[in-house]
Amino acid sequence: QFRVEGRLYYAHKLVLVTASPRFKSMLKSRFSSDSTPSGSGGSGSGAASNAPVLQINDIRYDIFHLVMMYLYKGGSSQLNVGSGDVLELMAAANFFQLPGLLRYCELLCSRLVDLDNIVSYYIHAKVYSAKMLLEFCQGFLLSHLVALLTYDEAVKRLLFGKKMQTNHEVL
């Protein structure tokens, strides 16, 4: 059982531990003792009522549900990820150590990159070790360099850091 945004989410331990080292670690530490942790809810005789509830923070319920759908469906072919959710899903894929889901998110992101969001996607690619997206962003930066340098101050800061003089003409 997981508690995400105050809502319970049920999953099978076997599915989770075989798919993700992070889930394996989380569940191993919670199930290693014989006693039920306080606050886990329920005092019935069934196994589900005695199972601990793992709190998931910093991940929205909808994103957690997408992670579970990826695990239970065995891939990303049936996922419906909106463009506003893809970076959050990439963060969750990185956190739960799901390289296949991370690659899927990288592919989705590469289709969304444009002049307005390149810096954001580049930074996310670096933070979440999304190597394919990072390479795509680097190629995009190079192929659109002139337009980006005249269009967006964030690109100049990304490329040259804070040491660049404000009156320096890059082009």
Side-chain angles (χ1 to χ4, degrees), residues 66-80:
L66 286 170
V67 169
M68 291 298 147
M69 296 306 345
Y70 170 79
L71 294 174
Y72 276 87
K73 301 284 184 175
S76 57
S77 62
Q78 296 180 1
L79 290 183
N80 184 15

Side-chain angles (χ1 to χ4, degrees), residues 153 156-157 161-170:
E153 285 294 318
K156 290 180 186 176
R157 286 191 304 275
K162 294 180 180 178
K163 296 178 183 177
M164 189 181 83
Q165 297 171 349
T166 57
N167 62 352
H168 179 72
E169 180 57 46
V170 176

